[in-house]
Amino acid sequence: MRHEITLHVNGHEHRLQVESHHTLLDVLRRQLGLTGTKHGCDCGECGACSIWLNDRLVLSCLVLAAEADGAHVLTVEGLAASGEFAHLQEAFIEHHGMQCGFCTAGFLMAAAALLRENARPDAATIRAALAGNLCRCTGYHGILRAVQTASRMRR
Amino acid sequence: MNPVRKTQWLGRPFPRIEAGLKVAGGIRYLDDMAFGPDLVYAAIVHSTRPHARLVGVNTAPAQALEGVLAVLTGRDVPGRLGHALADRPILAHDRVRYVGEPVAVVAAVSPELAVAAAQRVKVTYEDLPGVFDSEKALRPDAPLLHPQVDEYERRAFVHPRAGTNLAHVCRARRGDMEAGWQAASTVLADTYRGAPIQHASMEPHGAVAQCHPDGTITLWASTQAPFVQQATIAQTLGLDPRRLHVRAAAVGGGFGGKSFVSIEALVVLLALALPGRPVKLVLQRAEEFTTTFVRPALLAHVRMGADRHGKLTALEAHYVWDAGASADALIELAWAAALAGTGPYAIPHVDLTSSVVYTNHTPAAPMRGNGMAEVHWAIEQHMDRMAAALGMDPMSFRLRNLIKGGDPVWDGQVMHATGLEQCLRQVAQAVRWQAAPGKPSSAGRRRGRGLAVMWSPVLRHMAISATAVVRLESSPAAEAIQPVVVEVGSPDTGQGFATLVVQLVSSLLGVPPEWVQLQPIDTARSSFSGPGLGGQLTWSQGNAIVRAVQDLRGRLLSAVAQAWDEPPGALDIVEGVIHSHASHRSLSLRQLVQEGVRLADGSVLRPELRGEGRFEPTAPDEAGDEQALGVVHFSTGAQAVEVEVDLETGTIDVLHIASAFDVGHALNPDLVVAQIKGGAMQALSATLFEQVRRADGIPLNVRLSDYHLATILDLPPTIEAVVVEVPQGDGPFGARGVSDHAGVGLAPAIANAVAQATGVRITAMPITPEHVWRALQT
């Protein structure tokens, strides 16, 4: 079944035709060309597709596009364009919080969601907030350091 | 050229060149690339049986669906894939040999339709008895997977045994075993098991192929080895390799799982069937576990002897690798295990056998370390047990036996200079090896420390030549930079190799880093290079780049020297400008590219703006015995850990990891440290959590919620990396690789620490709480 929906993505409004089975991830990547959000497992187990939906961190592979009608979506492209978390992005570069980079968008969205709620999280809080994101390259050490550094730079 | 002076950007931290794109979601991996409205989507029909005769494949119900464009089966594809041993059908022929094997492949106008069509293909099987254990596979009455293995095409260093499941066996020997056992006062034998695990790169395998009107085919792939894929696929399909152009997309992790052909031949076949249309296949996560590759399970039988002074006298080991249904990807690994299967020790009498055995499992491929993590799991636990039997401290026992520069290795080969002992001392110091164990955090818990040393060979078999091209390109007048275009044949798979290329070229040529442009790899244009296996890119490809820059620089400077009537030695390039120390004249590279250089008679000289470099490793005399020609050099290192074990639950907390590797010369210390820490955590995950579980060939855990990967919660409170630098004689500025080796010693170090903490010895990976708990009950 086909649905007509409206999505506000990274500040832009889109009117879209979607099928019932299309996920938000499908629509972002295929219809809007926002490929920064990654497809790692398709069942909510790797975190690579993490985005913000109405200011909440969600796994976009587990959200049906039709359910998101009217919603505000922020992806890594929007996060980068806004500049609001440039210090977090810089910290990921400085501390080698990425190697292959495939999981990076998901980590950034999750880390940004944490820092917005809690400007000075301790290490245990950072770990808990990022426990749903898998990275096979970095061993997480650079990611943890990056988020700690970003939290100190913030204020 | 004076290499000491030309190291401006080398040996110091240099930021990743692509990092800014990566934190903005701007890197395009295979599945992110656009291929237009004609794009067709593929889906695989998998075998559901571990071993069966293929009675029939009925594709009619799939073909009846509107929007299905092609369905191919093994009847359409006669050949078998393999770069060393051609033993894997692209699509199953008369039988299936593992669950997940491609039986048919479908192309349709949408991904959903392709999957629906694949589900409608009806496959009829007649089950055959299966082989699910590498030891049982070697029994005389075992069912055979490849009865004609000796007739398959293969390279000279592959040795299958006809009429058995032994796909390849190789052996390395020195000394006289009888004498070795007689000299021993202590002899210990045991068996160790390494579990099958999955590479689990975050980016699944993906490929797109398109057949063009001129008959050429482009294959875009997430690959570590574009030239290997080109050669292997072209040979199997009977194509002229020049017709097949492989383009490497950005790679979202590989670890060895993308170093061979897995699914790429399937899309090439569909592209040939659907000329003009790009065909895309991106695997689902479950298919990664069943249809691509796994790290092989290892069965290691080890027998070791030492004299009363703690000197090793003899080692006999048999490494038995579970290849699954295809052994092709394990041939070099088996050789590495034979040629480095002693661990980094000087032992006079050695007999090592390495066997690759067919079973009805998903085909195996090396994963980070080319078998060394598995081999050291056995050797480095055995060393601790020998030390205990001899009443020696494990570190002292290792120090007494470590191989040193000048010690004999195989016939005609001696060990080169190595920082191995320094690595061991550094990690021991980091975990306070000499001090009393730390106090556990509560009663019912115990602390222990463990250490392990390692070495890893670069084999001549896999160190195929590397080449590089560096050229100056003209650019529009408005642009401020003079492009320096670099072509290599091996892709950056995330470790940061592209950054190293920029550092090398800008330093050696004398140009700003932002001028250097690394071309994406296309086998139609790029210079040939072997696969990025064994953590050797820095060394092999780095050497080729150094030579290419020297070639280009020589051409430029000799032309200008001729024009100015000066010796070339008076000239240098600094920040993109040629200067003369003698006459103080100068000429920018940009001007040289655009206008050439004017000779005294007014004519213009235009030097060739292109340099080429080729690196082929030298190894001991090839005319000799096979084992002597194998190893080009070894990388060495050591790892140590401190753990705390809960005696009631068997849970292990790793509190501290210290790793030290001799990298020769760290051309980018930050990237080296990132590799060492990341590799340690990947190894921690394999040691404590990972195992592809199966019941009679049926995979049981094919999703990431059932297959446990380490998360950030598992990161130890302290993880440190020590960089040791004993220059590699034939490395670029003395460098050798590190990425592959970074986890090799971790598993035995953890096992040794658990043994020290609890008194129980876990010989089968992974060291789960259940294994520890059960061992504690007996």
Side-chain angles (χ1 to χ4, degrees):
Chain A
M1 189 182 154
R2 201 158 261 258
H3 308 262
E4 185 165 309
I5 63 167
T6 302
L7 284 182
H8 305 271
V9 182
N10 301 332
H12 302 284
E13 184 180 307
H14 299 273
R15 296 206 50 84
L16 299 161
Q17 303 272 330
V18 302
E19 296 288 338
S20 302
H21 65 270
H22 282 165
T23 65
L24 192 49
L25 176 64
D26 292 332
V27 170
L28 291 171
R29 289 179 52 85
R30 290 199 223 158
Q31 293 198 39
L32 300 178
L34 293 169
T35 54
T37 306
K38 301 302 179 197
H39 190 278
C41 69
D42 225 9
C43 48
E45 295 171 353
C46 76
C49 69
S50 301
I51 59 158
W52 291 8
L53 179 69
N54 293 330
D55 284 335
R56 280 183 51 226
L57 183 69
V58 301
L59 297 165
S60 61
C61 75
L62 295 184
V63 178
L64 289 171
E67 289 182 299
D69 187 15
H72 289 260
V73 171
L74 185 75
T75 71
V76 68
E77 290 92 346
L79 181 100
S82 77
E84 195 186 339
F85 289 94
H87 60 298
L88 179 64
Q89 295 172 291
E90 285 300 320
F92 264 70
I93 295 173
E94 186 192 337
H95 293 288
H96 291 265
M98 95 284 295
Q99 286 182 22
C100 84
F102 199 80
C103 69
T104 307
F107 272 99
L108 286 169
M109 298 311 292
L114 167 68
L115 293 178
R116 194 196 37 186
E117 296 296 319
N118 180 351
R120 297 300 293 268
D122 60 16
T125 307
I126 296 171
R127 286 173 184 248
L130 301 181
N133 293 73
L134 294 175
C135 170
R136 194 62 157 159
C137 300
T138 65
Y140 305 104
H141 184 251
I143 294 172
L144 179 62
R145 295 265 307 274
V147 180
Q148 286 174 318
T149 300
S151 74
R152 284 193 290 267
M153 285 160 67
R154 194 78 191 269
R155 294 177 227 296
Chain B
M1 182 166 39
N2 179 349
V4 177
R5 198 163 47 81
K6 287 291 169 192
T7 54
Q8 188 179 7
W9 302 105
L10 297 175
R12 64 176 66 173
F14 188 94
R16 277 177 174 272
I17 57 167
E18 81 295 3
L21 275 176
K22 279 179 175 168
V23 296
I27 293 268
R28 303 244 162 200
Y29 302 85
L30 190 279
D31 197 26
D32 304 333
M33 296 165 70
F35 293 93
D38 286 341
L39 183 63
V40 172
Y41 300 85
I44 300 172
V45 180
H46 307 99
S47 165
T48 57
R49 310 298 171 91
H51 201 191
R53 199 169 72 79
L54 209 48
V55 178
V57 183
N58 181 6
T59 61
Q63 275 164 324
L65 284 179
E66 197 186 328
V68 172
L69 303 176
V71 186
L72 302 178
T73 71
R75 280 193 301 272
D76 306 304
V77 204
R80 281 181 308 270
L81 287 163
H83 84 298
L85 170 66
D87 65 356
R88 188 156 48 98
I90 300 175
L91 288 166
H93 295 158
D94 51 345
R95 65 162 96 184
V96 292
R97 295 181 174 88
Y98 63 97
V99 171
E101 180 171 3
V103 172
V105 66
V106 176
V109 294
S110 77
E112 294 86 353
L113 187 62
V115 169
Q119 285 167 351
R120 289 174 67 139
V121 172
K122 293 276 174 284
V123 185
T124 315
Y125 303 97
E126 186 183 292
D127 286 323
L128 295 168
V131 182
F132 308 117
D133 175 300
S134 54
E135 271 197 317
K136 287 180 187 157
L138 291 177
R139 291 182 188 163
D141 59 342
L144 295 185
L145 271 81
H146 294 271
Q148 276 90 40
V149 63
D150 54 318
E151 293 167 21
Y152 292 175
E153 276 193 63
R154 63 179 190 266
R155 292 178 65 185
F157 53 83
V158 186
H159 307 302
R161 290 272 169 81
T164 74
N165 285 314
L166 199 49
H168 171 63
V169 60
C170 50
R171 198 165 171 187
R173 284 181 282 184
R174 66 171 173 253
D176 168 3
M177 295 311 291
E178 261 326 295
W181 299 129
Q182 276 182 8
S185 65
T186 300
V187 174
L188 201 66
D190 207 346
T191 296
Y192 301 84
R193 288 165 199 273
I197 67 173
Q198 220 276 321
H199 303 77
S201 51
M202 284 297 104
E203 180 208 24
H205 284 70
V208 174
Q210 185 175 14
C211 187
H212 307 293
D214 65 0
T216 60
I217 304 144
T218 304
L219 170 65
W220 293 265
S222 173
T223 177
Q224 296 175 256
F227 283 93
V228 169
Q229 296 199 332
Q230 178 198 30
T232 309
I233 295 171
Q235 188 183 4
T236 305
L237 299 182
L239 296 171
D240 180 342
R242 286 168 299 185
R243 269 185 73 191
L244 180 62
H245 304 168
V246 181
R247 292 200 191 176
V251 179
F255 316 115
K258 293 172 180 169
S259 291
F260 302 87
V261 176
S262 57
I263 55 150
E264 297 77 13
L266 293 170
V267 291
V268 172
L269 282 173
L270 286 168
L272 286 165
L274 300 166
R277 302 202 66 165
V279 183
K280 177 173 178 171
L281 177 60
V282 174
L283 292 191
Q284 302 294 314
R285 182 55 62 181
E287 292 177 291
E288 289 288 307
F289 286 94
T290 59
T291 302
T292 63
F293 294 107
V294 296
R295 182 175 97 172
L298 169 66
L299 200 58
H301 304 290
V302 178
R303 187 163 182 248
M304 197 181 256
D307 67 20
R308 60 179 48 82
H309 309 293
K311 284 292 280 183
L312 290 168
T313 61
L315 171 68
E316 184 181 357
H318 189 189
Y319 299 113
V320 183
W321 303 94
D322 180 347
S326 166
D328 174 52
L330 293 192
I331 302 300
E332 284 103 340
L333 176 146
W335 271 110
L339 295 169
T342 53
Y345 299 109
I347 311 174
H349 308 287
V350 174
D351 187 351
L352 302 172
T353 306
S354 186
S355 299
V356 182
V357 180
Y358 287 126
T359 65
N360 292 109
H361 292 147
T362 294
M367 179 178 163
R368 206 167 190 176
N370 201 27
M372 287 302 106
E374 300 94 307
V375 163
H376 286 80
W377 167 250
I379 291 292
E380 283 298 281
Q381 289 206 64
H382 211 71
M383 285 295 288
D384 262 38
R385 298 170 74 184
M386 287 291 293
L390 288 158
M392 288 182 73
D393 167 73
M395 178 164 167
S396 310
F397 180 49
R398 284 181 175 82
L399 285 170
R400 190 157 299 181
N401 290 287
L402 284 187
I403 197 160
K404 296 178 183 63
D407 283 344
V409 188
W410 303 112
D411 285 346
Q413 185 174 28
V414 293
M415 184 64 185
H416 49 77
T418 172
L420 175 60
E421 183 177 330
Q422 198 186 336
C423 290
L424 175 56
R425 290 189 186 280
Q426 292 264 10
V427 297
Q429 190 181 3
V431 299
R432 294 170 291 107
W433 179 259
Q434 308 294 350
K439 200 169 154 337
S441 57
S442 65
R445 295 170 73 90
R446 296 283 183 277
R447 284 200 179 182
R449 283 170 299 196
L451 44 78
V453 292
M454 62 75 66
W455 71 350
S456 178
V458 169
L459 296 191
R460 182 159 172 76
H461 294 142
M462 56 191 207
I464 316 170
S465 66
T467 61
V469 171
V470 180
R471 55 190 165 80
L472 303 181
E473 269 191 2
S474 53
S475 65
E479 289 200 12
I481 68 157
Q482 165 56 55
V484 180
V485 177
V486 185
E487 293 175 358
V488 296
S490 299
D492 187 338
T493 57
Q495 75 282 63
F497 175 62
T499 302
L500 188 64
V501 172
V502 170
Q503 290 179 262
L504 278 170
V505 173
S506 61
S507 299
L508 295 174
L509 189 58
V511 299
E514 48 290 3
W515 288 13
V516 181
Q517 301 174 359
L518 182 60
Q519 289 291 103
I521 293 168
D522 178 346
T523 58
R525 288 198 331 265
S526 305
S527 48
F528 173 86
S529 287
L533 276 181
Q536 54 157 334
L537 270 189
T538 298
W539 167 76
S540 64
Q541 193 75 72
N543 269 320
I545 289 168
V546 169
R547 288 165 194 204
V549 176
Q550 281 170 338
D551 187 32
L552 172 63
R553 199 177 144 86
R555 287 174 203 280
L556 302 176
L557 293 188
S558 62
V560 175
Q562 188 192 337
W564 292 352
D565 195 21
E566 293 184 39
L571 305 185
D572 194 7
I573 309 176
V574 178
E575 288 288 298
V577 178
I578 300 176
H579 289 283
S580 163
H581 307 305
S583 64
H584 301 292
R585 294 174 73 174
S586 65
L587 173 71
S588 73
L589 287 183
R590 188 172 169 75
Q591 203 179 347
L592 179 64
V593 169
Q594 285 174 342
E595 299 163 20
V597 60
R598 200 163 289 277
L599 292 166
D601 64 4
S603 63
V604 170
L605 185 61
R606 289 186 178 274
E608 195 181 348
L609 301 173
R610 185 173 186 279
E612 269 187 35
R614 179 183 176 79
F615 177 66
E616 243 174 310
T618 52
D621 181 17
E622 275 197 59
D625 171 67
E626 254 180 340
Q627 73 188 33
L629 66 86
V631 181
V632 182
H633 68 248
F634 292 93
S635 288
T636 58
Q639 292 179 296
V641 299
E642 180 168 19
V643 304
E644 187 169 291
V645 184
D646 187 316
L647 299 179
E648 199 175 345
T649 64
T651 310
I652 299 165
D653 289 328
V654 178
L655 304 174
H656 189 156
I657 296 177
S659 307
F661 289 91
D662 177 7
V663 303
H665 175 45
L667 297 175
N668 187 327
D670 281 4
L671 288 180
V672 167
V673 166
Q675 282 305 306
I676 293 176
K677 289 181 181 173
M681 273 302 286
Q682 201 178 69
L684 177 145
S685 186
T687 307
L688 298 181
F689 309 132
E690 295 181 44
Q691 179 172 22
V692 174
R693 289 184 288 111
R694 305 153 170 148
D696 288 345
I698 313 282
L700 301 175
N701 53 341
V702 298
R703 46 191 294 173
L704 294 171
S705 53
D706 295 329
Y707 182 91
H708 186 168
L709 294 176
T711 73
I712 198 168
L713 298 177
D714 303 304
L715 176 67
T718 308
I719 179 166
E720 52 187 320
V722 179
V723 177
V724 171
E725 298 179 296
V726 174
Q728 173 65 31
D730 64 352
F733 300 95
R736 61 172 83 80
V738 67
S739 58
D740 243 32
H741 324 308
V744 165
L746 195 81
I750 291 177
N752 290 339
V754 170
Q756 195 193 68
T758 64
V760 302
R761 170 71 53 187
I762 307 295
T763 56
M765 250 198 258
I767 314 177
T768 60
E770 182 184 340
H771 283 161
V772 175
W773 184 84
R774 283 185 190 282
L776 283 166
Q777 307 313 304
T778 54

